[in-house]
């Protein structure tokens, strides 16, 4: 159960008494979910009855009425499918006062957020029980409830965030509570925001991290469950990404399981930093400016409504949508149409018993041929829509369209032409928090383009390795014909030109605003074109942007300068800082840096090994990346227990050779081992030659038979003085593929 403070305002105006209750402040939300995604669109957080077709537990609270009398009850809500003329309304709920329902059923009128008249009730003075009672489990929603003894007047619209009427009803003070000043204020608690906050804090900055949800991670949290992509710890600065590795998920699917995303781990890591002031459940809604600089960010607690003003020297927009930059009038861009959309992924399971699912006539009208079958019991990233819709002003409608698609698909599985095969199927999870990909981008001193990436343009401040291909999403034509206005299944088109091992170094100048002097940005709202966004937008890459921003902020704090000055006057300092381990820290921006004993080992330009680490294997080991290859070798990673980053294979009669040179510094007798994973297509008579001391031995080994060991012993070689031992694998006389992974010399015992 989530503890909440009750937001209740009551006033007496002339002869009228008023009581105002925010739904998000209910003492016990029951099974209702707090939805904060659309505050800028409709003015407030609200409670959502997201029960996957089963009514959720009541949200309950106690309300004090100072004045007895007849009250008209107004409920701010909507019929969330009315905008599409769909029926019947799926999100129906009741208001219960002291256990008795009002006569009116809510969530049944209005295509937009409006006041639904609940009728007149007699209420005595004193405390009364109030409850939201869900009737369907299909996403009924309630913003607030207003009681008034003025029976003839409807309350005003409440679409603006903390507008005058709502402020008055809540009795909020004119001036918010002031927090700070901080060296860096980070808004957005996804991978980018976490990377920025932790990085800056470890380099001695005082940091505020503002997140409008109760968990950190953004798209990489248990709420959205997108597995973290993008390779880290590689390229020019292989230390970048070490912070991200501390909290990145290792989900085996996307969507993954709740526990795979480690919400508690993320929060624990952030709270371990004494320099970070973490403000969960706080929604930033405005900024105050001082010329071309941001002076402060205004935010309010999404459960209590209390407002804070967060003062800072520097700010980082990690909201994904560029909200801070937009309010500060930063230069920005947004592709007008054909943007990538929002996904709401989902999962289902099966039981031997028959399970009912309600008919969904209000959902999208789907049969099994209208959507890709959700294999492995989950609906993946391509359940995506909103390509030509307003990603900000129509965000709630995009999410709701996705819900209609998911529930329509599951209805087809349960109640239409898929019913005979899905009697025991049931929904286990549907994301009500959307996973958006693209909206506004804030412009920096460099606007990275696809041409920059493909041509490998070398910027002097290139630093963050982007290893994801240029991956752009479009509606999939096969499924778009029935719903051309807003297709809900996408296809990804991957461009070429990105080195997925080393990565393309994205320049630092993409991470600060070109016209708001003290504004950084990290994540998918950085300074790139629509096409370039296709490679930099994945979560681990966004997190590494944050790491760079955090270190740049510490230079600003130390030198008393601004983000642009870091490039113009302190670039060498930044590039040196990027060589520090992720766990390096200092108490203040001017204090000496200490490196703890548990710092990660330095990775190479292609990252840490994805297979067995050659440095941890016995003896003298040379991996295939350091071998001299001749002939048509192909690289592979499909088989387990390979050494380093990959292995090589070549077919028979191809005249291919792989030469491994092993340097021996201590004379002695060594056993030669060839690392080789068994496979049925391998050669049983691979030629191995061992050259040392001016002599050459020849051996034939079987690479097809399962040996139960990681390496195949070949023979021994005695080295009388320091020198080289050259081991060569050849396809000469092979009767299958020759596998060249690694070679080792192990001292004999």
């Amino acid at each position: 159960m989530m503890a909440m403070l009750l937001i209740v305002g009551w006033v007496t105006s002339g002869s009228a008494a008023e009581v105002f209750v925010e739904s998000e402040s209910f003492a016990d939300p029951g099974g209702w979910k707090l939805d904060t995604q659309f505050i800028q669109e409709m003015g407030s957080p609200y409670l959502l009855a997201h029960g996957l077709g089963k009514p959720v537990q009541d949200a309950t609270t106690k309300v004090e009425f100072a004045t007895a009398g007849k009250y008209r009850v107004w409920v701010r809500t909507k019929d969330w499918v009315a905008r599409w003329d769909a029926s019947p309304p799926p999100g129906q709920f009741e208001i219960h006062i002291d256990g008795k329902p009002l006569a009116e059923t809510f969530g049944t009128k209005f295509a937009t957020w409006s006041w639904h008249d609940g009728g007149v009730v007699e209420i005595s003075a004193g405390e009364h029980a109030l409850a939201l009672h869900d009737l369907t489990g299909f996403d009924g929603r309630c913003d607030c409830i207003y009681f008034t003894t003025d029976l003839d007047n409807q309350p005003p619209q409440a679409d603006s965030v903390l507008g005058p009427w709502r402020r008055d009803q809540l009795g909020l003070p004119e001036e918010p509570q002031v927090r700070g000043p901080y060296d860096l204020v980070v808004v957005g608690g996804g991978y980018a925001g976490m990377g920025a906050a932790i990085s800056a804090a470890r380099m001695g900055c005082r940091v505020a991290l503002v997140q409008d949800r109760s968990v950190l991670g953004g798209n990489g949290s248990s709420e959205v469950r997108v597995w973290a992509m993008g390779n880290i710890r590689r390229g020019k600065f292989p230390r970048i990404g070490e912070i991200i590795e501390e909290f990145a998920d290792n989900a085996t699917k996307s969507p993954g399981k709740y526990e795979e995303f480690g919400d508690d781990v993320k929060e624990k890591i952030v709270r371990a930093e004494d320099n970070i002031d973490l403000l969960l459940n706080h929604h930033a809604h405005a900024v105050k400016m001082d010329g071309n600089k941001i002076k402060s960010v205004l935010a309010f607690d999404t459960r209590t409504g209390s407002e804070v003003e967060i003062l800072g020297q520097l700010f980082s927009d990690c909201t994904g949508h560029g909200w801070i930059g937009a309010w500060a009038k930063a230069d920005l861009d947004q592709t007008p149409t054909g943007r990538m959309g929002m996904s709401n992924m989902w999962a289902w399971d099966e039981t031997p018993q028959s399970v009912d699912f309600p008919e969904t006539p209000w959902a999208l009208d789907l049969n099994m041929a209208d959507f890709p079958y959700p294999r492995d019991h989950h609906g993946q990233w391509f359940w995506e829509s909103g390509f030509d819709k307003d990603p900000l002003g129509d965000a709630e409608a995009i999410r709701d369209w996705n819900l209609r698609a998911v529930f329509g698909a599951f209805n087809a599985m349960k109640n239409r032409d898929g019913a005979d095969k899905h009697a025991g199927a049931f929904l286990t999870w549907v994301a009500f928090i959307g996973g958006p990909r693209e909206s506004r981008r804030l412009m920096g001193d460099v606007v990275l383009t696809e041409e920059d990436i493909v041509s490998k343009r070398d910027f002097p401040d290139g630093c963050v390795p982007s290893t994801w291909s240029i991956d752009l999403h479009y509606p999939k034509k096969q499924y778009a014909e029935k719903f051309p206005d807003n297709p809900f299944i996408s296809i990804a088109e991957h461009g070429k030109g990105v080195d997925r091992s080393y990565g393309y170094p994205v320049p630092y100048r993409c991470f600060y605003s070109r016209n708001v002097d003290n504004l950084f940005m990290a994540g998918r709202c950085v300074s790139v074109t629509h096409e370039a966004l296709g490679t930099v937008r994945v979560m681990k890459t966004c997190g590494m942007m944050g790491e760079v921003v955090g270190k740049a902020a510490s230079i600003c704090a130390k030198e008393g300068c601004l983000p642009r000055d870091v490039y113009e006057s302190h670039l060498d300092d930044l590039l040196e800082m990027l060589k520090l381990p992720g766990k390096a820290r200092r108490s203040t921006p001017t204090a000496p840096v200490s490196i703890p004993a548990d710092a990660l080992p330095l990775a190479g330009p292609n990252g840490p090994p994805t297979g067995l680490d050659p440095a941890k294997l016995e003896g003298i080991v040379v991996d295939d990346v350091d071998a001299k290859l001749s002939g048509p070798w192909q690289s592979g990673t499909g088989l387990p227990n390979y050494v380093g980053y990959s292995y090589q294979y070549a077919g028979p009669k191809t005249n291919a050779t792989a030469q491994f040179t092993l340097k021996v510094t201590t004379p002695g007798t060594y056993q030669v081992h060839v690392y080789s994973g068994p496979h049925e297509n391998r050669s049983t008579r691979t030629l191995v030659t061992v050259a040392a001391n001016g002599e050459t031995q020849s051996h034939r080994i079987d690479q097809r038979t399962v040996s139960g060991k990681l390496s195949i012993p070949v023979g021994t070689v005695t080295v009388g003085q320091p020198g080289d031992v050259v081991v060569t694998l050849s396809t000469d006389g092979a009767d299958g593929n020759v596998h060249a992974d690694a070679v080792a010399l192990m001292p004999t015992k």
Side-chain angles (χ1 to χ4, degrees):
M1 181 185 301
M2 180 171 56
M4 289 190 176
L5 295 176
L6 179 62
I7 309 174
V8 176
W10 66 268
V11 297
T12 301
S13 177
S15 60
E18 301 173 310
V19 175
F20 179 76
V21 184
E22 290 276 27
S23 69
E24 60 266 24
S25 71
F26 271 45
D28 181 359
W32 294 66
K33 306 295 185 182
L34 179 62
D35 198 335
T36 62
Q37 300 170 91
F38 315 114
I39 294 173
Q40 293 303 135
E41 181 181 348
M42 50 74 65
S44 175
Y46 61 82
L47 288 187
L48 181 76
H50 190 59
L52 310 185
K54 295 180 180 179
V56 304
Q57 182 183 349
D58 289 0
T60 59
T61 197
K62 301 287 187 179
V63 180
E64 183 76 22
F65 285 79
T67 304
K70 291 185 176 180
Y71 286 81
R72 186 173 294 279
V73 185
W74 295 95
V75 179
R76 190 163 186 257
T77 182
K78 68 189 296 187
D79 171 5
W80 65 272
V81 301
R83 65 182 292 142
W84 297 290
D85 295 322
S87 63
Q92 300 183 37
F93 64 97
E94 296 174 340
I95 301 291
H96 289 193
I97 301 175
D98 296 328
K100 298 179 180 179
L102 297 179
E104 191 74 10
T105 298
F106 299 93
T108 58
K109 299 179 180 179
F110 315 116
T112 60
W113 282 92
S114 303
W115 290 106
H116 189 147
D117 185 354
V120 176
V121 293
E122 187 81 34
I123 300 179
S124 62
E127 186 178 81
H128 294 269
L130 187 63
L132 301 180
H133 180 70
D134 177 33
L135 297 175
T136 67
F138 280 125
D139 300 284
R141 54 203 69 182
C142 179
D143 170 19
C144 52
I145 306 167
Y146 174 63
F147 299 82
T148 178
T149 57
D150 185 347
L151 305 183
D152 298 324
N153 289 330
Q154 180 175 329
Q157 281 297 325
D159 291 328
S160 60
V161 181
L162 289 185
W165 183 83
R166 196 184 294 258
R167 282 179 176 275
D168 183 58
Q169 291 295 324
L170 294 174
L172 294 179
E174 292 186 8
E175 296 298 327
Q177 176 191 0
V178 175
R179 301 185 72 145
Y182 299 93
D183 296 312
L184 178 66
V185 177
V186 180
V187 183
Y191 271 55
M194 290 181 67
I198 296 170
S199 175
R202 291 181 180 177
M203 288 296 99
C205 291
R206 297 161 298 162
V207 180
L209 176 56
V210 185
Q211 166 72 333
D212 66 355
R213 302 297 303 161
S214 61
V215 298
L216 296 165
N219 284 351
S221 72
S222 66
E223 294 185 320
V224 187
R225 304 189 191 179
V226 180
W227 56 6
M229 291 288 106
N231 292 323
I232 58 177
R233 299 177 60 199
R234 64 197 57 237
K236 285 185 176 181
F237 301 98
R239 291 291 188 185
I240 304 176
E242 290 185 0
I243 290 175
I244 305 308
E245 185 158 302
E246 293 180 38
F247 61 77
D249 69 80
N250 292 298
T252 55
K253 294 180 181 179
S254 185
K257 299 177 181 178
Y258 170 87
E259 59 272 12
E260 290 180 307
F261 290 89
D263 296 340
D264 55 339
V265 173
K266 292 181 175 68
E267 183 172 342
K268 182 179 179 180
I269 289 172
V270 170
R271 291 198 184 278
E273 300 297 331
D274 293 337
N275 281 338
I276 296 180
D277 189 1
L278 177 60
L279 285 77
L280 292 175
N281 297 299
H282 276 74
H283 176 79
H285 67 94
V287 301
K288 289 185 179 180
M289 300 295 293
D290 181 7
N292 288 333
K293 295 181 182 178
I294 301 173
K295 175 185 175 184
S296 62
V297 165
L298 296 172
F300 70 90
D301 190 313
T302 56
R303 303 156 302 172
T304 69
S306 60
E307 190 178 24
V308 293
E309 180 179 2
I310 308 166
L311 304 176
Q313 298 298 318
L314 301 160
F315 296 82
S316 185
D317 190 331
C318 300
T319 64
H321 290 305
W323 286 113
I324 305 303
W327 296 327
K329 294 183 168 36
D331 290 344
L332 54 82
D333 189 22
Q334 180 175 288
T335 301
T337 58
R339 292 175 302 273
M340 291 177 281
M342 174 198 292
S343 288
N344 289 82
M345 298 191 294
W346 57 290
W348 62 287
D349 209 340
E350 295 178 271
T351 181
Q353 294 77 33
S354 180
V355 180
D356 291 334
F357 183 73
E359 294 274 1
T360 58
W362 45 267
L364 296 192
D365 181 14
L366 301 178
N367 291 309
M368 297 298 291
D370 296 325
F371 57 91
Y373 186 75
R375 300 183 185 281
D376 297 327
H377 295 99
H378 65 298
Q380 301 177 48
W381 56 269
F382 46 73
W383 289 77
E384 173 184 2
S385 76
F387 303 95
D388 291 333
K389 304 299 181 183
D390 181 351
L392 304 172
D394 286 336
E396 188 179 24
I398 296 171
R399 190 277 306 270
D400 289 347
W401 181 265
N402 287 347
L403 294 182
R404 291 183 72 210
V406 171
F407 291 132
F410 201 66
N411 182 64
M413 293 169 62
K414 294 292 295 180
N415 301 318
R416 290 190 170 182
D417 54 338
D420 59 333
K421 296 181 180 179
H422 298 95
F426 61 97
L427 288 170
T428 59
W429 174 78
V430 177
F432 74 92
I433 303 292
R437 290 178 179 80
E438 181 177 5
S439 55
R440 290 181 295 222
R441 304 180 304 279
L442 306 178
M443 299 294 99
D445 283 346
V446 169
V447 181
L448 192 69
T449 69
E450 180 181 19
E451 175 60 26
D452 294 332
I453 296 165
V454 173
S455 67
K456 296 179 171 55
R457 182 177 176 183
D458 187 14
F459 292 95
D461 52 336
C463 52
V464 170
S466 187
T467 58
W468 199 250
S469 62
I470 296 177
D471 170 13
L472 300 175
H473 291 195
Y474 305 92
K476 193 167 186 178
K477 293 181 180 179
Q478 176 183 351
Y479 302 107
E481 294 178 356
K482 192 170 181 178
F483 299 98
D485 177 63
N486 192 10
F488 60 88
I489 297 296
S490 70
I491 187 172
E493 293 188 4
H494 291 262
K496 298 180 180 179
V498 176
D499 184 335
R500 300 196 65 162
S501 178
Y502 182 85
Y504 176 78
V506 180
Y508 163 72
R509 282 171 291 171
C510 293
F511 308 149
Y512 64 83
S513 170
R514 67 190 183 194
N515 69 308
V516 178
D517 294 343
N518 63 341
L519 177 62
F520 288 106
M521 54 268 191
R524 59 185 176 82
C525 57
V526 296
S527 183
V528 296
T529 63
H530 162 75
E531 292 78 14
L533 182 66
T535 176
V536 304
R537 63 181 174 80
V538 292
M539 284 184 296
K540 288 184 181 179
T541 305
C542 291
M544 289 188 287
M545 299 177 197
E547 290 189 34
V548 172
V549 163
K551 288 181 169 58
S554 74
I555 294 175
C556 292
K558 177 183 179 181
E559 303 294 341
C561 66
L562 296 169
R564 179 177 286 115
D565 300 325
V566 173
Y567 173 74
E568 294 182 345
S569 303
H570 304 284
L571 181 58
D572 289 344
D573 294 340
L574 175 62
L575 300 185
E576 281 301 309
M577 288 190 74
L578 299 184
K579 298 177 183 178
L580 291 173
K583 290 192 174 182
R585 60 177 63 247
R586 58 190 180 191
S587 57
T588 69
T590 58
V593 172
S594 63
I595 299 176
D598 62 346
L600 290 172
L602 177 65
N606 294 307
T610 54
L612 303 173
D613 187 348
K616 297 180 180 179
L617 298 177
E618 182 183 355
I620 304 168
V621 181
V622 174
D623 191 25
D624 62 284
V625 295
D626 297 313
K628 182 180 179 181
L629 302 177
S630 175
W633 293 94
Q634 297 184 64
S635 178
T637 58
L639 297 177
N641 297 322
Y642 59 84
V643 176
Y645 302 93
S646 63
Y647 53 80
Q648 305 293 324
Y649 59 94
K653 300 180 181 179
T654 57
N655 296 319
T657 60
Q659 186 181 90
F660 297 77
T661 301
L662 301 98
K663 297 187 177 299
V664 178
T665 58
T666 303
T669 300
Y670 294 84
Q671 178 80 52
V672 180
H673 280 255
V674 172
Y675 279 87
S676 177
H679 193 272
E680 61 185 9
N681 68 4
R682 296 265 157 78
S683 170
T684 64
R685 49 193 317 275
T686 298
L687 176 63
V688 180
T689 59
V690 181
N693 306 316
E695 298 180 357
T696 299
Q697 308 172 23
S698 294
H699 307 269
R700 294 275 179 180
I701 62 173
D702 181 357
Q703 294 187 291
R704 184 180 303 174
T705 304
V706 176
S707 66
K709 297 184 180 299
L710 298 176
S711 62
I712 301 171
V714 176
T716 60
V717 60
T718 300
V719 182
Q721 59 185 4
D724 293 344
V725 175
V726 179
V727 179
T728 303
L729 278 69
S730 171
T731 60
D732 184 20
D735 58 355
N737 286 341
V738 171
H739 182 217
D741 185 5
V743 171
L745 296 178
M746 301 181 188
T748 57
K749 299 178 181 179

